[in-house]
Amino acid sequence: MATSDMSRAVWRKSSRSYQDGSCVEVAALTGMVAVRDSKNPESAALAFSSSAWRAFARRLAEDPLR
């Protein structure tokens, strides 16, 4: 997968995240969604195609324990 410039990414985390910061953050990029560890924002982020991210989120909504 091609790398993407994440310097202008607007990161957000779930309103249900733990108060101690133990969560992941996501950022929408052109055609991609990036995910990073909120405790270590300078580390590498994972990037997924928008369609792969939608499929992942849809699958979680259908059966979160699977």
Side-chain angles (χ1 to χ4, degrees):
M1 174 178 290
T3 60
S4 180
D5 178 13
M6 294 187 200
S7 64
R8 294 180 179 245
V10 177
W11 295 95
R12 61 187 178 88
K13 57 184 170 182
S14 171
S15 60
R16 296 180 183 211
S17 63
Y18 292 111
Q19 295 300 318
D20 67 356
S22 298
C23 60
V24 296
E25 296 175 313
V26 297
L29 304 170
T30 304
M32 300 173 71
V33 174
V35 181
R36 72 179 183 184
D37 181 355
S38 65
K39 296 182 307 298
N40 193 4
E42 300 304 319
S43 66
L46 300 174
F48 302 90
S49 69
S50 295
S51 60
W53 185 257
R54 281 191 303 272
F56 171 71
R58 186 172 39 252
R59 184 65 179 205
L60 283 179
E62 291 171 1
D63 188 1
L65 298 178
R66 188 160 203 220

